[in-house]
Amino acid sequence: MHPAKSVIYFTVATGAGYGLFFWLALLAFLGVLPADKFMGFVMLAIAFGLIVTGLISYTGHLGRPERAWRALSQWRSSWLSREGIMAILTFIPMGIFGIYWVFLGQNTGFTALVGLVGAGMALVTVFTTSMIYASLKAIPAWYNIWTKIGYLVLSLMSGAVLTLALVSAFGLDELALFLLLPVAVLLLLGLVAKVFYWRHIHAGRVVSTAESATGLGRFGKVSQAASPHSADNYLLKEMGFKIARKHAAKLRWIAIVFGFVLPFAIIGLTANFIEIRDLAAQIFMGIAAASCILGLVFERWLFFAEAKHVVTLYYGETKV
Amino acid sequence: MTSLPKTAPKKKLGLVIDLDICVGCHACAVNCKEWNTSGKSAPLTDLNPHGKDPDGVWFNRIHTYETMNDTGESRTVHFPRSCLHCDDAPCVTVCPTGASYKREEDGIVLVNEDICIGCKLCSWACPYGARGYDETEGVMKKCTLCVDKIYNKNLPEESRVPACVSTCPTGARHFGDLNDPGSDVSKLVAAREGYALMPEQDTKPVNRYLPPRPKQMQTVDQTPRALIHEDTSSDAAPLLARWVDKILSV
Ligand code: SF4
Ligand code: SF4
Ligand code: SF4
């Protein structure tokens, strides 16, 4: 599948934004998040910023963005519609939580409860995003449980890494130490989820073949003798994206190193050897977060680029 | 509505394509474009039509495949590919706007271009590559089963069939109600063991393909008859010719 920049940004940014909100709301609920207004403003601005720009990026890639509101109508059958509705509904508890924290300096009690509802809804929204892809049977690389697990875990993971960087930046060393364990666990889980995803899609499972696509298997192996058109059409541009295997392997390593290994190493070393209040520690935590997001951009690029669509069987692919 | 019809359509209009006689002339693809570019989904925009890499919206495409079995026997098969008007159309259920729908009365799958937002999800959901995105208009388009032709009261009765069907010079395309076991298309499917494409994708296509017939194996010597051009005797010729022959032979 064609890896469109707008959709890569949409999934990575909203995933990280919802994950960040999840952790902020959870920490508020646990009563460990100081109710400082300025800090609340900065943290929530980043969470909202990631989510809103992600959604705008997706909307911008539509053929008719001005009609985007129509996408809210078909929640009975369409995961994209459900995603749109969940994204909008989630803004309600998120907004209330934000107003209480940023303007009234409160983030416990009722505010925290509303925040927790928002955190739950944020995860549901991420799940609906994953289902846009995981519900497409014609793309076997997406039509599996690892797609859903991947989106959820990576959202929680990138959100946790961002939260850690932010609480470090505000000098909240105790909170940073408190977050170390969940961050470490999530980085491991994220890596495991992706490794299982890659193993799944490269296990050689075959769903459809050129023989089943044409029904000509009864006469033997089917190969393309002539293309119906001389230049690439919409199908080939959108769904015929091909990436060389050796590049995919390299990019997978880049995603693993930047997305999981480096953040894990940087955060671990920083926490062990530097005081979180030190500027150096704050910078390192920021670098870890940036590395993680960069790794996820590669991971998401591969998620699209490696996914083969069964329509390619009509254009020379032998099995998908 | 992008939910599929609650009650199964009474009629299931569709195409039956005979791979035994299709010669791969692309006439159906061209006439499809011709009819539809001024029909319901008009226009079928072309991009860079006279340039090096022409592209555009087409509802019907003709592939050519080669098959090869273990004994080295091969066949060439021309293979038209258009929307199969699936019963369980995934392109319909994924649509977030309701633009993509399946008609309850005859099972035709259509796009309402006035509300389509061009999210392209339906084209990702279709296993058969039956949908075409119109970049200029920002909306999705697809085979309409020539809905504006098959019900068109301004046309003579016999012309009320899809453009691709009426234009096929070999009669490889058939149109009718595949839900009615007594229809010509259903009988054809039964007689020729018509099949659905990629049944494992669970889309339950309505269209059927008729497989190429088995090859006629050469059992008798079929060396081509050679013409003998030399006349050795004029005995069988008419009178005048015999005289001419006699004179010339002197
Ligand atoms: S062939 Fe594709 S576009 Fe046509 S009904 Fe089936 S899934 Fe939808
Ligand atoms: S491109 Fe149009 S018809 Fe297709 S799913 Fe999106 S809104 Fe529906
Ligand atoms: S039925 Fe009409 S729209 Fe569909 S392929 Fe044939 S000519 Fe084109």
Side-chain angles (χ1 to χ4, degrees), chain A residues 225-240:
Chain A
S227 172
H229 33 81
S230 52
D232 279 4
N233 63 350
Y234 166 70
L235 295 174
L236 290 172
K237 287 174 192 159
E238 182 82 0
M239 280 159 282

Side-chain angles (χ1 to χ4, degrees), chain A residues 190-302:
Chain A
L191 182 58
V192 169
K194 278 323 285 186
V195 168
F196 272 94
Y197 172 81
W198 284 319
R199 277 181 44 163
H200 177 89
I201 67 169
H202 293 297
R205 281 183 194 77
V206 174
V207 176
S208 293
T209 59
E211 287 74 35
S212 73
T214 57
L216 298 173
R218 67 193 76 199
F219 301 116
K221 277 238 113 344
V222 175
S223 58
Q224 183 179 236
S227 172
H229 33 81
S230 52
D232 279 4
N233 63 350
Y234 166 70
L235 295 174
L236 290 172
K237 287 174 192 159
E238 182 82 0
M239 280 159 282
F241 191 87
K242 267 209 189 122
I243 162 162
R245 258 182 174 275
K246 61 171 198 272
H247 288 159
K250 241 180 242 159
L251 288 165
R252 220 154 30 230
W253 276 113
I254 294 178
I256 289 174
V257 169
F258 282 96
F260 311 95
V261 179
L262 268 184
F264 192 92
I266 296 174
I267 291 169
L269 291 174
T270 308
N272 273 304
F273 296 111
I274 315 177
E275 285 289 318
I276 302 280
R277 280 176 187 277
D278 281 0
L279 183 63
Q282 297 173 347
I283 291 174
F284 280 131
M285 292 301 195
I287 292 175
S291 162
C292 176
I293 300 287
L294 181 70
L296 291 190
V297 169
F298 279 101
E299 177 273 325
R300 215 49 57 87
W301 191 89
L302 276 173

Side-chain angles (χ1 to χ4, degrees), chain B residues 13 21 35 53 57 60 86 179 184 200 212 245:
Chain B
L13 296 185
I21 55 177
W35 175 266
D53 293 318
V57 182
N60 185 14
C86 307
N179 205 31
D184 287 349
E200 69 277 11
D245 180 50

Side-chain angles (χ1 to χ4, degrees), chain B residues 9-37:
Chain B
K10 289 172 284 295
K11 281 206 277 182
K12 290 182 186 171
L13 296 185
L15 301 173
V16 172
I17 296 171
D18 192 341
L19 298 179
D20 191 61
I21 55 177
C22 171
V23 292
C25 69
H26 297 243
C28 56
V30 174
N31 203 32
C32 169
K33 180 111 175 164
E34 159 77 19
W35 175 266
N36 285 289
T37 202

Side-chain angles (χ1 to χ4, degrees), chain A residues 1 58 61-64 67-68 70-74 76-78 80-81 132-133 136-139 142 207-209 212-216 218-226 228-235 237-239 304 309-311 313-315, chain B residues 1-3 19 26 53-55 61-69 73 75 77 79 81 93-98 113-121 123-129 131-133 137-140 195 197-202 211-212:
Chain A
M1 302 294 294
Y58 183 81
H61 121 288
L62 299 175
R64 292 294 191 111
R67 297 177 180 167
R70 291 190 181 275
L72 304 177
S73 65
Q74 302 302 313
R76 280 188 201 81
S77 71
S78 162
L80 178 53
S81 193
I132 298 174
Y133 306 103
L136 298 173
K137 201 168 190 174
I139 307 163
W142 296 350
V207 176
S208 293
T209 59
S212 73
T214 57
L216 298 173
R218 67 193 76 199
F219 301 116
K221 277 238 113 344
V222 175
S223 58
Q224 183 179 236
H229 33 81
S230 52
D232 279 4
N233 63 350
Y234 166 70
L235 295 174
K237 287 174 192 159
E238 182 82 0
M239 280 159 282
F304 287 93
H309 193 289
V310 295
V311 73
L313 295 170
Y314 291 106
Y315 286 93
Chain B
M1 281 303 115
T2 65
S3 295
L19 298 179
H26 297 243
D53 293 318
D55 186 4
R61 285 301 200 176
I62 321 306
H63 297 251
T64 302
Y65 298 106
E66 195 172 65
T67 66
M68 176 79 79
N69 70 10
E73 190 192 330
R75 311 182 64 122
V77 182
F79 185 96
R81 177 180 55 83
T93 50
V94 296
C95 176
T97 62
E113 284 149 37
D114 293 336
I115 63 173
C116 170
I117 58 174
C119 68
K120 304 179 181 169
L121 203 55
S123 67
W124 292 9
C126 169
Y128 310 100
R131 296 186 158 236
Y133 181 67
E137 299 196 2
V139 295
M140 199 55 76
Y195 60 88
L197 305 182
M198 279 197 268
E200 69 277 11
Q201 289 285 333
D202 293 328

